[in-house]
Amino acid sequence: EVQLLESGGGLVQPGGSLRLSCTASGFTFSSYAMSWVRQAPGKGLEWVSAARDSGSTTYYGDSVKGRFIISRDNSENTLYLQMNSLRAEDTALYYCAKDRSGSSGPFDFWGQGTLVTVSS
Amino acid sequence: AIRMTQSPSSFSASTGDRVTITCRASQDVSSYFAWYQQKPGKAPKLLIYAASSLQSGVPSRFSGSGSGTNFTLTISCLQSEDFATYYCQQYYTYPRTFGQGTKVEIK
């Protein structure tokens, strides 16, 4: 059974940093691209960042480019999101999501999310 | 970035109704297109991928069509468990983008 478990969320002041983790199980983690998707309270889904299977290729949304860094440890089946220079508008539930196929695909499995609140 | 525009943003329907939600992409995404369902307090669930392929375990009352820039999600006979918010998404290129969502409410 595929499982994705996010952690690391919490309350942080504007300008602060936080690192999210997503621990995966039930599939060959190193064979799939993984993404972070966020959802602000009462709002829609916003794709944040992705890392290809090896982790050597990464992508970012414009709203986080230059502030967030995605990485993965395939030996530990874990995806990370280092979030720096946090802003109030980064407040959201952050999901990690697995690509359906190894090369490119929609997200067939999602975690339950970890909440990040940026406030003074 | 490719912009995804869903319509309507919300509507009310009754159990047993046939409902249709549309999504338009600002540029050609071929069939690299998906639909998700999200219920309150839950993670999104993949319903349709490759524009018209049903994800494993999803009831056959859900169907998708379209290619290029215009796509449709149809629920043939709305059930009580289908009242939720639906999102479209393109995965043709990065950044991946979602539509703004369509909330299906009980009439």
Side-chain angles (χ1 to χ4, degrees), chain B residues 14-87:
Chain B
S14 300
T15 302
D17 284 353
R18 178 183 180 90
V19 302
T20 298
I21 299 169
T22 64
C23 183
R24 175 170 292 181
S26 62
Q27 62 189 75
D28 188 347
V29 299
S30 185
S31 293
Y32 294 90
F33 181 88
W35 289 101
Y36 299 86
Q37 176 194 67
Q38 187 179 34
K39 297 180 179 179
K42 299 294 186 180
K45 172 187 174 183
L46 178 64
L47 298 176
I48 302 286
Y49 65 94
S52 60
S53 296
L54 199 65
Q55 173 69 354
S56 175
V58 174
S60 59
R61 63 180 179 273
F62 291 92
S63 63
S65 64
S67 68
T69 61
N70 291 293
F71 301 88
T72 300
L73 173 70
T74 299
I75 309 173
S76 61
C77 182
L78 199 65
Q79 302 298 301
S80 58
E81 60 266 33
D82 301 336
F83 292 97
T85 301
Y86 294 85
Y87 293 92

Side-chain angles (χ1 to χ4, degrees), chain B residues 1-18:
Chain B
I2 298 175
R3 186 173 64 255
M4 309 299 288
T5 304
Q6 289 180 234
S7 60
S9 296
S10 66
F11 66 95
S12 299
S14 300
T15 302
D17 284 353
R18 178 183 180 90

Side-chain angles (χ1 to χ4, degrees), chain A residues 3-119:
Chain A
Q3 289 192 331
L4 300 171
L5 183 62
E6 302 96 337
S7 61
L11 175 64
V12 61
Q13 292 188 336
S17 298
L18 213 54
R19 189 176 85 153
L20 306 184
S21 300
C22 171
T23 302
S25 61
F27 66 102
T28 305
F29 182 72
S30 59
S31 296
Y32 293 89
M34 298 290 294
S35 282
W36 289 98
V37 178
R38 68 185 181 183
Q39 188 168 35
K43 302 298 184 182
L45 302 171
E46 180 189 11
W47 175 83
V48 172
S49 182
R52 292 248 184 182
D53 49 7
S54 69
S56 59
T57 302
T58 58
Y59 306 91
Y60 298 93
D62 287 344
S63 62
V64 306
K65 201 173 295 183
R67 299 188 298 124
F68 289 12
I69 300 171
I70 191 171
S71 62
R72 59 192 294 165
D73 184 339
N74 286 345
S75 68
E76 295 291 333
N77 291 346
T78 303
L79 179 73
Y80 300 101
L81 186 67
Q82 177 67 42
M83 303 187 297
N84 302 319
S85 303
L86 283 161
R87 306 166 180 167
E89 54 265 36
D90 295 317
T91 294
L93 186 63
Y94 284 73
Y95 294 103
C96 76
K98 168 189 168 291
D99 265 25
R100 185 181 180 279
S101 68
S103 56
S104 176
F107 306 133
D108 61 348
F109 288 95
W110 300 62
Q112 286 306 300
T114 186
L115 182 63
V116 172
T117 303
V118 184
S119 175

